[in-house]
């Protein structure tokens, strides 16, 4: 009886994270990969929070990751420009309006997050998230879908 109750409690405690549609978590690793290719966002969300973790063992100087959101049409040019901007600027051109949201660059074992202001985005438009660390965007990208 006790075990059944405990199991029930555990499953209930796992629910809130799933029930929260206006937030997600994503991880980057040493193989230059995100663990998600698509992030779906309900259009009803006023803000959307993305928590980024780095499950690899390499430091941010050599295998840093961030999470950057832009229009899909902008992301490749933005990633190229970002590669020139340096680690101190999170590999993003400063003040660039193509950046809709971004986290800091993190390394092994670190965690960071960003809250996206959904009033800047439109349902049906094409958005991409990516890592702007030099050379990473080709592998580390995915679709950010508002629906
Ligand atoms: Zn990266």
């Amino acid at each position: 009886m006790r075990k059944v109750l405990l199991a029930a409690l555990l499953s209930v405690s796992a629910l809130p994270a799933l029930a929260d549609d206006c937030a997600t978590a994503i991880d980057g690793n040493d193989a230059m990969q995100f663990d998600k290719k698509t992030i779906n966002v309900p259009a009803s969300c006023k803000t959307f929070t993305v928590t980024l973790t780095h499950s690899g063992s390499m430091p941010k100087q050599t295998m840093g990751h961030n999470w950057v959101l832009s229009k899909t049409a902008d992301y490749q040019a933005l990633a190229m420009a970002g590669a020139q901007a340096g680690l101190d600027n999170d590999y993003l051109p400063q003040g660039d309006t193509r950046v809709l949201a971004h986290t800091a660059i993190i390394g092994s074992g670190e965690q960071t997050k960003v809250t996206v202001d959904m009033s800047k985005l439109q349902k049906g438009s094409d958005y991409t998230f990516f890592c702007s660390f030099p050379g990473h965007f080709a592998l580390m990208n995915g679709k950010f879908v508002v629906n």
Side-chain angles (χ1 to χ4, degrees):
M1 185 62 195
R2 232 192 169 143
K3 269 186 180 163
V4 171
L5 191 63
L6 185 62
L9 282 172
L10 284 173
S11 61
V12 166
S13 70
L15 281 176
L18 293 172
D20 188 359
D21 291 335
C22 296
T24 195
I26 187 166
D27 182 72
N29 63 22
D30 284 347
M32 220 187 283
Q33 288 168 332
F34 280 134
D35 65 351
K36 282 190 169 72
K37 277 306 226 177
T38 305
I39 295 175
N40 286 296
V41 182
S44 58
C45 293
K46 290 188 166 55
T47 61
F48 188 81
T49 302
V50 177
T51 300
L52 172 68
T53 53
H54 188 314
S55 62
S57 60
M58 294 168 75
K60 64 183 177 185
Q61 287 78 11
T62 51
M63 186 51 77
H65 301 311
N66 63 358
W67 186 93
V68 183
L69 180 67
S70 74
K71 287 184 176 170
T72 296
D74 291 335
Y75 96 97
Q76 292 189 353
L78 193 53
M80 299 299 271
Q84 313 295 321
L87 181 57
D88 288 347
N89 293 317
D90 294 317
Y91 290 112
L92 286 169
Q94 288 197 297
D96 196 309
T97 55
R98 292 175 296 181
V99 178
L100 299 174
H102 76 94
T103 70
I105 293 267
I106 59 169
S108 173
E110 293 184 308
Q111 178 177 316
T112 184
K113 64 180 168 181
V114 63
T115 298
V116 181
D117 176 1
M118 294 300 295
S119 69
K120 288 182 182 175
L121 279 62
Q122 285 155 349
K123 189 178 172 181
S125 291
D126 198 354
Y127 300 102
T128 290
F129 66 85
F130 64 99
C131 172
S132 68
F133 191 95
H136 287 200
F137 76 94
L139 282 175
M140 300 187 78
N141 68 75
K143 290 283 188 182
F144 188 87
V145 182
V146 185
N147 50 24

